[in-house]
Amino acid sequence: MAFQFSLDAVLRLRQSLQRQQELLLREANQQLTALQVRIDDLNAQISQHATQENLKLASTLSAAELQFMQLCRSVLLGQRGGLEKRLATAQALRDSRMTSFRQARQQREVLETLCQTQAQVYGQSEARQNQRQLDDLLLLRRAYLRRS
């Protein structure tokens, strides 16, 4: 008779939960990466704007143009601040999902270890039983040969 793990359904559930947590973690990592790319792009825009501002300041500039440039800079900085807050939230979510994933993986590993241990015990028991049968057959053969 083949080995059958008594908690096989629970093990499949744990594997499924781990996969689910892994997918959630990947999603959180993708969101984090997307936000970081947006922040990097915005930083590049801010840097480009600052370069243009310095060039314009070297030439003659009206007060309206100066106000507009400052307004543009403050809008860009405000956007970066908002994205940085979203990035911090996304990092916290990612950390939380990482913890959940690690717990799910650990629970699955515990069940797999239990399954492997039970399979080993079953294998040893089967081997002992087979050896006993062989020993019994040998003893019966010896007894039969002595009678003859």
Side-chain angles (χ1 to χ4, degrees), residues 31-90:
Q31 288 174 357
L32 197 62
T33 302
L35 282 170
Q36 189 61 54
V37 166
R38 287 179 65 189
I39 289 172
D40 291 343
D41 289 346
L42 198 54
N43 283 335
Q45 272 185 313
I46 290 170
S47 176
Q48 183 182 17
H49 182 70
T51 302
Q52 289 176 355
E53 191 175 312
N54 287 336
L55 290 174
K56 286 184 180 182
L57 285 175
S59 66
T60 57
L61 196 64
S62 69
E65 288 176 319
L66 182 61
Q67 267 187 325
F68 180 72
M69 287 188 327
Q70 288 177 343
L71 179 64
C72 288
R73 182 178 354 131
S74 68
V75 166
L76 289 173
L77 291 174
Q79 287 178 345
R80 184 175 66 185
L83 285 175
E84 286 174 345
K85 285 179 184 176
R86 288 177 57 192
L87 181 69
T89 303

Side-chain angles (χ1 to χ4, degrees), residues 14 17-18 21 100-108:
R14 292 293 182 200
L17 290 174
Q18 179 186 345
Q21 292 300 322
S100 297
F101 171 71
R102 285 181 179 155
Q103 287 175 338
R105 185 182 67 207
Q106 186 178 28
Q107 290 171 349
R108 177 200 45 86

Side-chain angles (χ1 to χ4, degrees), residues 73-125:
R73 182 178 354 131
S74 68
V75 166
L76 289 173
L77 291 174
Q79 287 178 345
R80 184 175 66 185
L83 285 175
E84 286 174 345
K85 285 179 184 176
R86 288 177 57 192
L87 181 69
T89 303
Q91 286 173 334
L93 178 65
R94 191 245 353 240
D95 292 344
S96 170
R97 289 185 175 174
M98 176 67 80
T99 301
S100 297
F101 171 71
R102 285 181 179 155
Q103 287 175 338
R105 185 182 67 207
Q106 186 178 28
Q107 290 171 349
R108 177 200 45 86
E109 287 174 350
V110 165
L111 277 175
E112 280 183 348
T113 302
L114 180 62
C115 177
Q116 290 170 354
T117 302
Q118 286 184 0
Q120 277 183 328
V121 168
Y122 177 82
Q124 290 170 349
S125 174

